Amino acid sequence: STVLNGVMILDEFTRFIHLSLISLTIIFFLLQKTYLIQKKLLKFENSILILIALLGLLILTSSYNLITLYLAIELQSLCFYILAASNTRSSLSIEAALKYFILGAIASSFILYGSSIIYLITGSLNFGNIFIFISNINHPENLELILSLFYGFLFVFSGLLFKIGVAPF
């Protein structure tokens, strides 16, 4: 069932994913403590940033709208940028965070551009409405429409691949 006027979806599968993400985060907190003490990186800000990134991932798994998807990705990405630069004693850490931030900005622009193309063609950002629009297209007569929609999805997908770091490499 959708909540917040069709922006998010909550069903048994998303609840299972939420429970899995929360469980894995708890396990992560238990495993990282000795490592952070050993490397002298134990800061309370890291725990807060990880919890905010978890919130972004929970919203991401429940998103049923392209804008919600984008905002959830940005919420968790911003936390990961800060976490990547948290070791201020290492210039490599700061350099990696800067590269990660620049690639993230490029990926965000791809996602937003693809979403705007999809919205221009379908008139909706809701995944259900987009699916209904695609299923009602007559393929031989609307080839230009199908091609434009394909480009929109290609931009969104390549932006998502950039965000997880697969596309550049």
Side-chain angles (χ1 to χ4, degrees), residues 102-122:
I102 291 171
L103 282 176
I106 293 169
S108 295
S109 64
F110 280 13
I111 293 171
L112 285 177
Y113 184 63
S115 298
S116 65
I117 291 173
I118 292 169
Y119 179 72
L120 177 71
I121 294 169
T122 63

PDB file of all heavy atoms in Angstrom, residues 102-122:
ATOM      1  N   ILE A 102      32.653  14.768  -6.417  1.00  0.00           N
ATOM      2  CA  ILE A 102      32.523  15.241  -7.803  1.00  0.00           C
ATOM      3  C   ILE A 102      31.768  14.218  -8.650  1.00  0.00           C
ATOM      4  O   ILE A 102      30.879  14.573  -9.426  1.00  0.00           O
ATOM      5  CB  ILE A 102      33.915  15.559  -8.389  1.00  0.00           C
ATOM      6  CG1 ILE A 102      34.492  16.793  -7.690  1.00  0.00           C
ATOM      7  CG2 ILE A 102      33.832  15.793  -9.894  1.00  0.00           C
ATOM      8  CD1 ILE A 102      35.929  17.072  -8.014  1.00  0.00           C
ATOM      9  N   LEU A 103      32.102  12.939  -8.500  1.00  0.00           N
ATOM     10  CA  LEU A 103      31.366  11.911  -9.231  1.00  0.00           C
ATOM     11  C   LEU A 103      29.905  11.854  -8.781  1.00  0.00           C
ATOM     12  O   LEU A 103      29.006  11.616  -9.601  1.00  0.00           O
ATOM     13  CB  LEU A 103      32.014  10.543  -9.030  1.00  0.00           C
ATOM     14  CG  LEU A 103      33.263  10.270  -9.857  1.00  0.00           C
ATOM     15  CD1 LEU A 103      33.851   8.916  -9.492  1.00  0.00           C
ATOM     16  CD2 LEU A 103      32.961  10.322 -11.335  1.00  0.00           C
ATOM     17  N   GLY A 104      29.653  12.091  -7.508  1.00  0.00           N
ATOM     18  CA  GLY A 104      28.285  12.124  -7.011  1.00  0.00           C
ATOM     19  C   GLY A 104      27.487  13.280  -7.585  1.00  0.00           C
ATOM     20  O   GLY A 104      26.295  13.144  -7.861  1.00  0.00           O
ATOM     21  N   ALA A 105      28.136  14.426  -7.759  1.00  0.00           N
ATOM     22  CA  ALA A 105      27.455  15.572  -8.361  1.00  0.00           C
ATOM     23  C   ALA A 105      27.095  15.291  -9.814  1.00  0.00           C
ATOM     24  O   ALA A 105      25.999  15.643 -10.281  1.00  0.00           O
ATOM     25  CB  ALA A 105      28.337  16.813  -8.257  1.00  0.00           C
ATOM     26  N   ILE A 106      28.003  14.653 -10.539  1.00  0.00           N
ATOM     27  CA  ILE A 106      27.715  14.278 -11.926  1.00  0.00           C
ATOM     28  C   ILE A 106      26.567  13.276 -11.973  1.00  0.00           C
ATOM     29  O   ILE A 106      25.643  13.396 -12.788  1.00  0.00           O
ATOM     30  CB  ILE A 106      28.980  13.715 -12.599  1.00  0.00           C
ATOM     31  CG1 ILE A 106      30.031  14.809 -12.752  1.00  0.00           C
ATOM     32  CG2 ILE A 106      28.659  13.099 -13.956  1.00  0.00           C
ATOM     33  CD1 ILE A 106      31.395  14.302 -13.161  1.00  0.00           C
ATOM     34  N   ALA A 107      26.591  12.313 -11.080  1.00  0.00           N
ATOM     35  CA  ALA A 107      25.529  11.302 -11.031  1.00  0.00           C
ATOM     36  C   ALA A 107      24.188  11.940 -10.689  1.00  0.00           C
ATOM     37  O   ALA A 107      23.158  11.572 -11.266  1.00  0.00           O
ATOM     38  CB  ALA A 107      25.885  10.228 -10.015  1.00  0.00           C
ATOM     39  N   SER A 108      24.190  12.886  -9.778  1.00  0.00           N
ATOM     40  CA  SER A 108      22.945  13.571  -9.417  1.00  0.00           C
ATOM     41  C   SER A 108      22.366  14.318 -10.599  1.00  0.00           C
ATOM     42  O   SER A 108      21.145  14.320 -10.806  1.00  0.00           O
ATOM     43  CB  SER A 108      23.187  14.546  -8.268  1.00  0.00           C
ATOM     44  OG  SER A 108      23.557  13.855  -7.112  1.00  0.00           O
ATOM     45  N   SER A 109      23.223  14.946 -11.374  1.00  0.00           N
ATOM     46  CA  SER A 109      22.726  15.664 -12.554  1.00  0.00           C
ATOM     47  C   SER A 109      22.154  14.694 -13.581  1.00  0.00           C
ATOM     48  O   SER A 109      21.142  14.991 -14.222  1.00  0.00           O
ATOM     49  CB  SER A 109      23.831  16.525 -13.170  1.00  0.00           C
ATOM     50  OG  SER A 109      24.880  15.716 -13.648  1.00  0.00           O
ATOM     51  N   PHE A 110      22.748  13.529 -13.738  1.00  0.00           N
ATOM     52  CA  PHE A 110      22.203  12.519 -14.643  1.00  0.00           C
ATOM     53  C   PHE A 110      20.821  12.063 -14.183  1.00  0.00           C
ATOM     54  O   PHE A 110      19.895  11.943 -14.991  1.00  0.00           O
ATOM     55  CB  PHE A 110      23.132  11.309 -14.739  1.00  0.00           C
ATOM     56  CG  PHE A 110      24.300  11.477 -15.658  1.00  0.00           C
ATOM     57  CD1 PHE A 110      24.673  12.705 -16.153  1.00  0.00           C
ATOM     58  CD2 PHE A 110      25.041  10.374 -16.031  1.00  0.00           C
ATOM     59  CE1 PHE A 110      25.753  12.852 -16.990  1.00  0.00           C
ATOM     60  CE2 PHE A 110      26.124  10.503 -16.879  1.00  0.00           C
ATOM     61  CZ  PHE A 110      26.483  11.745 -17.353  1.00  0.00           C
ATOM     62  N   ILE A 111      20.691  11.791 -12.891  1.00  0.00           N
ATOM     63  CA  ILE A 111      19.418  11.321 -12.358  1.00  0.00           C
ATOM     64  C   ILE A 111      18.334  12.380 -12.529  1.00  0.00           C
ATOM     65  O   ILE A 111      17.212  12.089 -12.960  1.00  0.00           O
ATOM     66  CB  ILE A 111      19.564  10.905 -10.884  1.00  0.00           C
ATOM     67  CG1 ILE A 111      20.459   9.668 -10.751  1.00  0.00           C
ATOM     68  CG2 ILE A 111      18.198  10.629 -10.255  1.00  0.00           C
ATOM     69  CD1 ILE A 111      20.827   9.336  -9.324  1.00  0.00           C
ATOM     70  N   LEU A 112      18.663  13.634 -12.226  1.00  0.00           N
ATOM     71  CA  LEU A 112      17.674  14.700 -12.360  1.00  0.00           C
ATOM     72  C   LEU A 112      17.305  14.955 -13.814  1.00  0.00           C
ATOM     73  O   LEU A 112      16.138  15.196 -14.135  1.00  0.00           O
ATOM     74  CB  LEU A 112      18.194  15.979 -11.708  1.00  0.00           C
ATOM     75  CG  LEU A 112      18.178  15.989 -10.195  1.00  0.00           C
ATOM     76  CD1 LEU A 112      18.797  17.274  -9.664  1.00  0.00           C
ATOM     77  CD2 LEU A 112      16.771  15.827  -9.666  1.00  0.00           C
ATOM     78  N   TYR A 113      18.278  14.886 -14.712  1.00  0.00           N
ATOM     79  CA  TYR A 113      17.980  15.092 -16.131  1.00  0.00           C
ATOM     80  C   TYR A 113      17.106  13.965 -16.674  1.00  0.00           C
ATOM     81  O   TYR A 113      16.128  14.218 -17.387  1.00  0.00           O
ATOM     82  CB  TYR A 113      19.280  15.201 -16.936  1.00  0.00           C
ATOM     83  CG  TYR A 113      19.059  15.501 -18.391  1.00  0.00           C
ATOM     84  CD1 TYR A 113      18.464  16.691 -18.791  1.00  0.00           C
ATOM     85  CD2 TYR A 113      19.442  14.593 -19.369  1.00  0.00           C
ATOM     86  CE1 TYR A 113      18.248  16.964 -20.122  1.00  0.00           C
ATOM     87  CE2 TYR A 113      19.230  14.862 -20.711  1.00  0.00           C
ATOM     88  CZ  TYR A 113      18.634  16.048 -21.077  1.00  0.00           C
ATOM     89  OH  TYR A 113      18.418  16.314 -22.396  1.00  0.00           O
ATOM     90  N   GLY A 114      17.435  12.733 -16.331  1.00  0.00           N
ATOM     91  CA  GLY A 114      16.612  11.606 -16.752  1.00  0.00           C
ATOM     92  C   GLY A 114      15.211  11.667 -16.172  1.00  0.00           C
ATOM     93  O   GLY A 114      14.226  11.371 -16.864  1.00  0.00           O
ATOM     94  N   SER A 115      15.098  12.080 -14.908  1.00  0.00           N
ATOM     95  CA  SER A 115      13.778  12.214 -14.292  1.00  0.00           C
ATOM     96  C   SER A 115      12.954  13.288 -14.977  1.00  0.00           C
ATOM     97  O   SER A 115      11.742  13.131 -15.152  1.00  0.00           O
ATOM     98  CB  SER A 115      13.915  12.550 -12.805  1.00  0.00           C
ATOM     99  OG  SER A 115      14.576  11.525 -12.115  1.00  0.00           O
ATOM    100  N   SER A 116      13.598  14.380 -15.380  1.00  0.00           N
ATOM    101  CA  SER A 116      12.863  15.439 -16.068  1.00  0.00           C
ATOM    102  C   SER A 116      12.391  14.978 -17.446  1.00  0.00           C
ATOM    103  O   SER A 116      11.294  15.335 -17.871  1.00  0.00           O
ATOM    104  CB  SER A 116      13.708  16.702 -16.174  1.00  0.00           C
ATOM    105  OG  SER A 116      14.835  16.479 -16.996  1.00  0.00           O
ATOM    106  N   ILE A 117      13.185  14.166 -18.133  1.00  0.00           N
ATOM    107  CA  ILE A 117      12.750  13.618 -19.422  1.00  0.00           C
ATOM    108  C   ILE A 117      11.555  12.691 -19.220  1.00  0.00           C
ATOM    109  O   ILE A 117      10.567  12.758 -19.963  1.00  0.00           O
ATOM    110  CB  ILE A 117      13.912  12.886 -20.122  1.00  0.00           C
ATOM    111  CG1 ILE A 117      14.972  13.868 -20.577  1.00  0.00           C
ATOM    112  CG2 ILE A 117      13.407  12.079 -21.312  1.00  0.00           C
ATOM    113  CD1 ILE A 117      16.222  13.206 -21.128  1.00  0.00           C
ATOM    114  N   ILE A 118      11.632  11.830 -18.215  1.00  0.00           N
ATOM    115  CA  ILE A 118      10.534  10.905 -17.928  1.00  0.00           C
ATOM    116  C   ILE A 118       9.268  11.685 -17.557  1.00  0.00           C
ATOM    117  O   ILE A 118       8.171  11.370 -18.020  1.00  0.00           O
ATOM    118  CB  ILE A 118      10.938   9.916 -16.822  1.00  0.00           C
ATOM    119  CG1 ILE A 118      12.036   8.983 -17.334  1.00  0.00           C
ATOM    120  CG2 ILE A 118       9.744   9.111 -16.334  1.00  0.00           C
ATOM    121  CD1 ILE A 118      12.681   8.147 -16.268  1.00  0.00           C
ATOM    122  N   TYR A 119       9.426  12.730 -16.755  1.00  0.00           N
ATOM    123  CA  TYR A 119       8.268  13.541 -16.385  1.00  0.00           C
ATOM    124  C   TYR A 119       7.694  14.270 -17.592  1.00  0.00           C
ATOM    125  O   TYR A 119       6.473  14.397 -17.732  1.00  0.00           O
ATOM    126  CB  TYR A 119       8.634  14.544 -15.293  1.00  0.00           C
ATOM    127  CG  TYR A 119       7.476  15.420 -14.889  1.00  0.00           C
ATOM    128  CD1 TYR A 119       6.430  14.887 -14.143  1.00  0.00           C
ATOM    129  CD2 TYR A 119       7.419  16.750 -15.257  1.00  0.00           C
ATOM    130  CE1 TYR A 119       5.353  15.672 -13.769  1.00  0.00           C
ATOM    131  CE2 TYR A 119       6.349  17.546 -14.900  1.00  0.00           C
ATOM    132  CZ  TYR A 119       5.318  17.009 -14.154  1.00  0.00           C
ATOM    133  OH  TYR A 119       4.262  17.782 -13.808  1.00  0.00           O
ATOM    134  N   LEU A 120       8.547  14.748 -18.465  1.00  0.00           N
ATOM    135  CA  LEU A 120       8.091  15.456 -19.662  1.00  0.00           C
ATOM    136  C   LEU A 120       7.233  14.544 -20.536  1.00  0.00           C
ATOM    137  O   LEU A 120       6.213  14.965 -21.081  1.00  0.00           O
ATOM    138  CB  LEU A 120       9.296  15.967 -20.459  1.00  0.00           C
ATOM    139  CG  LEU A 120       9.000  16.676 -21.770  1.00  0.00           C
ATOM    140  CD1 LEU A 120       8.379  18.024 -21.493  1.00  0.00           C
ATOM    141  CD2 LEU A 120      10.266  16.823 -22.569  1.00  0.00           C
ATOM    142  N   ILE A 121       7.611  13.291 -20.641  1.00  0.00           N
ATOM    143  CA  ILE A 121       6.904  12.370 -21.522  1.00  0.00           C
ATOM    144  C   ILE A 121       5.663  11.781 -20.842  1.00  0.00           C
ATOM    145  O   ILE A 121       4.590  11.720 -21.444  1.00  0.00           O
ATOM    146  CB  ILE A 121       7.863  11.259 -21.991  1.00  0.00           C
ATOM    147  CG1 ILE A 121       8.939  11.872 -22.868  1.00  0.00           C
ATOM    148  CG2 ILE A 121       7.120  10.179 -22.752  1.00  0.00           C
ATOM    149  CD1 ILE A 121      10.071  10.968 -23.177  1.00  0.00           C
ATOM    150  N   THR A 122       5.808  11.337 -19.596  1.00  0.00           N
ATOM    151  CA  THR A 122       4.700  10.632 -18.943  1.00  0.00           C
ATOM    152  C   THR A 122       3.763  11.556 -18.177  1.00  0.00           C
ATOM    153  O   THR A 122       2.605  11.210 -17.955  1.00  0.00           O
ATOM    154  CB  THR A 122       5.233   9.570 -17.972  1.00  0.00           C
ATOM    155  OG1 THR A 122       5.974  10.204 -16.933  1.00  0.00           O
ATOM    156  CG2 THR A 122       6.082   8.551 -18.697  1.00  0.00           C
TER     157      THR A 122
END
